Amino acid sequence: MSEQSNELADLVGQDHAATGHEYAAGFVTEIEADTLPPGLDEQVVRAISAKKDEPSWMTQWRLDALRRWQRMPTPRWAHVQFPDIDFQSISYFSAPKGTAPTSLDEVDPEVLRTYEKLGIPLHERAALAGVEAPADTTSNVAVDAIFDSVSVATTFKERLAEAGVIFCSMSEAIREHPDLVRKYLGSVVPKPDNFYAALNSAVFSDGSFVYVPKNTRCPMELSTIFRINEKNTGQFERTLIIADEGAYVSYLEGCTAPMRDDNQLHAAVVELVALTDAEIKYSTVQNWYPGDDEGNGGIYNFVTKRGACLGDRSKISWTQVETGSAITWKYPSVILRGADSVGEFYSVALTRNLQQADTGTKMTHIGPRTKSTIVSKGISAGRSQNSYRGRVRMNPGAKGARNYTQCDSLLIGDSCGAHTFPYIESKLPTAVIEHEATTSRVSEEQLFLCQQRGIDPEKAVAMIVNGFCRDVFRTLPMEFAVEAAKLLEVSLEGAVG
Amino acid sequence: MSLLHIENLHVDVAGQPILTGIDLTVAAGEVHAVMGPNGSGKSTLANVLAGRPGYDITEGSVTVDGEDITPLSPEERSLRGLFLAFQYPIEIPGVSNMEFLKAAVDAHAAGRGEDPPSAVDFVKRARACAARLELNPDFLKRGVNDGFSGGEKKRNEILQMLVLEPRLAVLDETDSGLDIDALQVVANGINAFRGNGNAVVLVTHYQRLLNYVVPERVHVLADGRIVHSGDSSVALQLEERGYGWLDG
């Protein structure tokens, strides 16, 4: 260990409280909430379903999921460590008190202010904060805002309806579009898929639903902003996006939570369905509260995300920028069923302090000439552990299939870890599978070059890390690319001191 | 007053004495060459001036414009006008030259208490400097030194020097790895820069750069000390007779 590296480690290890760069989204909103008491059994599932006025097929669907979940063991295979979760101590439903709002005017002003504070004004004429657009232009992002367990507002519904696009909360979709929901819910992520997916299927409270009709290009970016507010509450949202033949949609997801000393569980399920010639682009900027310097508190982010390219020439593209959560455990995946379908996964995962991330993707090639691309950038600082876990499977029928995987890790300091777990399962001798992996450090030389040019070390590290992530950031919609770069910088400012 | 003043400078690297008593004074408007065989301490001198970690000053002093710079961090030295052109420029993949230069120029503006230049002004200036070094504007969009040839890396160092307009430029073997055409371009860049109240220290093993950039003074380093100083003819003598000439 050279003296220089120690110096860099010192920098990284410095207490970030001194820098004033706290977790900016860490405030709590004081509102009255309608929260179910902790615990999970059939009664609780029936209560959730009743609160949401669900038809009986939905109630039965949930109960089936609950029964399956009750027989499943807790999975332990990920490269993360945490104490056993007591699922009976969690409350499975929380909503701002009062009747469900039917328009923005009826939403609790405290809730609206929460989103404004987060930089996401829900007024339709306000631009998404952080976007350097002229003040007089209207936002071209429609937002579904999820507060604890329920959707509190969906903007631009009328303009979307003109194009035939359905964008609403999952609760509304169950009531208004039961045929689509019954056909596709659980079709990509079946109820017993895994422990947390089964749990979600039983208790999911709300989420977003999108349907883009045939040969329609969704006229704006769609976005869901998740906010966990209530204490001891799990958030279990369910998102379902269907792109019909020849349709295109770009969807963005952002997440924040208050700073709390206890861990909170977030177990979402996202299902994407792309029919013939359809394309879905799904981008996530995840900034759940990561816990403090000593690893107290923070969100357990155990999420199942999967897309199915059902139709020929369909395409699903996942981009994620993960900076938050105490533990992240997610693998946005694509099932490539249609001939010539394309799956993509672009990921930036930044961990610092005592954060743990085990994230990656699964690409399952079934149809002929299917193609997948995986670009994963992991950045570890502090005492964090950052793992890439990916599986590429080539089925015998996937003639002419190709995969390209690039997996880069960047280490800052000498107390963190980067791990790569690639799984390649090929039942097709002619499949082309490429895997490239690198591990590097923010080197003393790079830092010294920047300093010699007058750039302070903190800015230098942010610039170097942003450069490292460039390949992923360029796949994000522009508004989010700017946000993502900023978020990374803020997260690193905390980390580098 | 001298711009750079080094007195009795002793430097250890990893506990080994490398420089053992350097005295050197460079006035504003001057170019000095520091020559010497491999291992004589030339690069150590360049690096210690810039404040590179791992180079420990055990004795002596270094002042720039009368200020002792030894307690300053590398970035503070940069903001006071000290520039080092690296012998082995490092890559920063994904960070474009333009972005990197802008961050540096903004840091210098902030150091002077000024607002950063507008994007338009900055781009104009960067392009003009690139043109002086016969660099294609696309060069500015490429990642810092990423995939550059040896010659391109060295030209990039001079580009950064022209954009930042330092008070004291220390060029560490900028001529190595350059073909004759590139050498001339780099020399033209240095000549356009020199004067104007700044000073240049050229650290070089060979005399050939000095054909194009004629220094006011040449110093010969051996075993960590300056063993000979003279005018530009010293370089020619070294070229003819080798470093052994000074042993006798």
Side-chain angles (χ1 to χ4, degrees):
Chain A
M1 190 76 258
S2 71
E3 197 179 309
Q4 295 102 290
S5 321
N6 278 330
E7 216 164 274
L8 181 56
D10 286 348
L11 270 175
V12 171
Q14 273 173 26
D15 183 3
H16 77 274
T19 69
H21 297 293
E22 301 271 345
Y23 178 74
F27 58 91
V28 177
T29 307
E30 295 297 339
I31 54 157
E32 275 194 87
D34 176 8
T35 306
L36 279 181
L40 180 55
D41 56 20
E42 201 174 309
Q43 290 316 310
V44 168
V45 170
R46 284 186 189 280
I48 293 170
S49 196
K51 272 183 186 298
K52 309 190 77 64
D53 256 336
E54 286 178 350
S56 68
W57 61 265
M58 196 65 239
T59 314
Q60 291 311 314
W61 199 87
R62 289 177 179 277
L63 289 170
D64 178 49
L66 176 72
R67 284 188 279 268
R68 289 164 185 266
W69 176 75
Q70 284 166 336
R71 291 195 297 269
M72 294 169 95
T74 320
R76 280 285 169 199
W77 46 265
H79 191 77
V80 295
Q81 290 178 342
F82 58 95
D84 285 332
I85 298 172
D86 179 1
F87 290 93
Q88 297 305 330
S89 71
I90 297 171
S91 166
Y92 289 85
F93 187 85
S94 175
K97 227 170 190 156
T99 49
T102 52
S103 79
L104 272 176
D105 305 336
E106 293 176 25
V107 177
D108 187 326
E110 272 307 311
V111 172
L112 286 181
R113 253 195 295 282
T114 300
Y115 286 92
E116 252 156 51
K117 251 165 121 174
L118 293 170
I120 311 134
L122 297 176
H123 308 297
E124 300 201 349
R125 297 198 65 82
L128 194 68
V131 182
E132 286 161 31
D136 59 339
T137 55
T138 53
S139 166
N140 59 348
V141 180
V143 176
D144 187 19
I146 310 264
F147 196 88
D148 285 336
S149 301
V150 295
S151 168
V152 290
T154 308
T155 62
F156 290 106
K157 282 173 99 161
E158 282 170 26
R159 212 172 120 193
L160 288 166
E162 279 168 35
V165 175
I166 302 168
F167 180 38
C168 62
S169 70
M170 184 58 85
S171 316
E172 188 178 332
I174 291 167
R175 289 193 306 268
E176 307 292 329
H177 311 284
D179 295 347
L180 284 170
V181 174
R182 285 186 90 159
K183 183 165 178 191
Y184 290 110
L185 189 71
S187 71
V188 186
V189 179
K191 280 172 278 186
D193 184 83
N194 67 70
F195 184 82
Y196 293 103
L199 176 63
N200 174 288
S201 300
V203 301
F204 77 83
S205 40
D206 215 335
S208 300
F209 175 83
V210 177
Y211 172 76
V212 186
K214 276 185 191 173
N215 301 318
T216 301
R217 201 181 161 85
C218 185
M220 57 178 72
E221 304 275 350
L222 303 184
S223 167
T224 298
I225 307 297
F226 296 107
R227 173 75 178 171
I228 298 179
N229 189 58
E230 205 56 31
K231 209 175 170 177
N232 299 325
T233 301
Q235 182 156 354
F236 307 92
E237 80 276 354
R238 185 104 193 176
T239 299
L240 174 59
I241 299 175
I242 303 149
D244 211 328
E245 293 176 14
Y248 170 84
V249 61
S250 171
Y251 185 91
L252 320 166
E253 175 197 71
C255 328
T256 59
M259 292 162 76
R260 294 196 186 278
D261 295 338
D262 306 318
N263 296 107
Q264 284 174 289
L265 178 63
H266 174 250
V269 172
V270 176
E271 295 176 280
L272 310 182
V273 178
L275 302 182
T276 305
D277 291 311
E279 180 176 349
I280 301 173
K281 193 173 158 64
Y282 193 105
S283 312
T284 302
V285 175
Q286 186 263 109
N287 186 25
W288 294 121
Y289 177 53
D292 68 12
D293 295 359
E294 295 305 315
N296 301 312
I299 302 288
Y300 289 166
N301 191 34
F302 300 160
V303 170
T304 307
K305 290 181 164 173
R306 194 175 303 152
C309 283
L310 293 184
D312 294 351
R313 296 171 303 279
S314 56
K315 180 176 173 183
I316 287 177
S317 182
W318 298 98
T319 298
Q320 60 173 18
V321 177
E322 305 275 322
T323 63
S325 297
I327 303 177
T328 295
W329 186 355
K330 65 180 251 198
Y331 313 92
S333 303
V334 185
I335 299 165
L336 295 150
R337 194 173 288 279
D340 300 291
S341 58
V342 176
E344 292 175 340
F345 174 74
Y346 298 99
S347 169
V348 167
L350 170 83
T351 52
R352 63 187 180 96
N353 292 338
L354 284 164
Q355 279 178 276
Q356 307 175 66
D358 192 305
T359 183
T361 185
K362 287 186 286 183
M363 293 290 176
T364 306
H365 293 254
I366 299 168
R369 298 175 306 280
T370 45
K371 223 174 88 183
S372 63
T373 303
I374 298 168
V375 178
S376 164
K377 306 274 182 178
I379 303 135
S380 328
R383 289 174 286 164
S384 67
Q385 296 293 327
N386 200 327
S387 304
Y388 166 81
R389 188 185 302 275
R391 189 189 74 189
V392 177
R393 176 185 278 170
M394 299 289 185
N395 280 14
K399 293 199 172 43
R402 300 181 73 103
N403 160 266
Y404 172 75
T405 300
Q406 186 191 328
C407 194
D408 300 324
S409 306
L410 187 67
L411 302 169
I412 303 174
D414 57 6
S415 309
C416 53
H419 316 270
T420 305
F421 305 98
Y423 305 82
I424 295 171
E425 299 170 8
S426 183
K427 297 184 174 113
L428 179 69
T430 58
V432 180
I433 302 169
E434 292 171 79
H435 184 99
E436 286 181 24
T438 65
T439 301
S440 54
R441 279 176 184 282
V442 172
S443 74
E444 307 301 330
E445 278 107 305
Q446 287 173 330
L447 215 53
F448 182 60
L449 166 61
C450 295
Q451 287 178 272
Q452 210 305 303
R453 300 304 185 245
I455 304 163
D456 71 59
E458 190 176 283
K459 281 215 177 70
V461 169
M463 184 169 72
I464 293 165
V465 170
N466 267 313
F468 174 75
C469 301
R470 175 117 330 158
D471 294 347
V472 173
F473 285 169
R474 72 168 123 239
T475 69
L476 282 170
M478 204 190 40
E479 293 92 332
F480 259 40
V482 174
E483 287 294 288
K486 259 196 243 162
L487 178 60
L488 214 59
E489 203 166 313
V490 170
S491 305
L492 280 165
E493 275 173 19
V496 180
Chain B
M1 189 177 64
S2 61
L3 200 162
L4 171 66
H5 185 70
I6 302 174
E7 211 172 287
N8 191 32
L9 183 67
H10 288 65
V11 174
D12 284 8
V13 179
Q16 294 296 310
I18 305 295
L19 299 183
T20 53
I22 300 268
D23 294 292
L24 179 66
T25 301
V26 182
E30 290 183 342
V31 174
H32 286 216
V34 174
M35 302 184 70
N38 292 329
S40 59
K42 299 189 301 291
S43 281
T44 297
L45 177 61
N47 281 308
V48 80
L49 289 177
R52 187 171 204 132
Y55 293 75
D56 304 321
I57 297 176
T58 55
E59 215 182 318
S61 69
V62 180
T63 63
V64 171
D65 289 323
E67 183 188 10
D68 179 9
I69 61 164
T70 55
L72 301 181
S73 69
E75 62 270 26
E76 287 167 329
R77 297 181 198 205
S78 171
L79 298 181
R80 279 166 180 69
L82 192 150
F83 179 93
L84 171 66
F86 288 81
Q87 182 178 5
Y88 304 108
I90 185 99
E91 299 87 10
I92 309 183
V95 176
S96 75
N97 252 334
M98 195 67 110
E99 209 178 325
F100 179 69
L101 281 170
K102 182 79 165 78
V105 165
D106 288 357
H108 279 257
R112 290 189 301 267
E114 296 169 8
D115 289 337
S118 75
V120 175
D121 288 347
F122 167 75
V123 170
K124 264 191 207 153
R125 180 157 139 212
R127 286 211 176 126
C129 293
R132 257 158 64 191
L133 295 167
E134 297 176 23
L135 291 167
N136 189 302
D138 282 350
F139 188 80
L140 293 166
K141 294 182 192 155
R142 292 168 61 186
V144 177
N145 296 321
D146 193 18
F148 287 17
S149 69
E152 284 176 324
K153 286 183 181 176
K154 295 304 180 75
R155 273 203 257 183
N156 202 24
E157 295 296 294
I158 299 304
L159 172 67
Q160 291 163 33
M161 178 185 81
L162 293 182
V163 171
L164 289 174
E165 298 178 323
R167 178 118 173 97
L168 171 66
V170 181
L171 313 183
D172 189 5
E173 309 235 1
T174 297
D175 50 338
S176 68
L178 290 180
D179 64 27
I180 195 74
D181 293 337
L183 185 70
Q184 202 151 3
V185 168
V186 163
N188 290 344
I190 299 169
N191 283 327
F193 168 75
R194 72 188 288 186
N196 304 326
N198 58 43
V200 178
V201 175
L202 292 175
V203 174
T204 180
H205 187 75
Y206 299 105
Q207 178 269 338
R208 58 177 200 156
L209 176 64
L210 308 183
N211 286 336
Y212 304 101
V213 183
V214 180
E216 271 77 20
R217 299 285 290 170
V218 175
H219 309 277
V220 182
L221 210 59
D223 296 328
R225 287 185 307 117
I226 290 172
V227 294
H228 189 80
S229 295
D231 62 19
S232 61
S233 68
V234 171
L236 292 170
Q237 298 219 40
L238 280 177
E239 180 80 353
E240 217 166 278
R241 300 159 71 174
Y243 286 106
W245 159 59
L246 291 164
D247 294 340

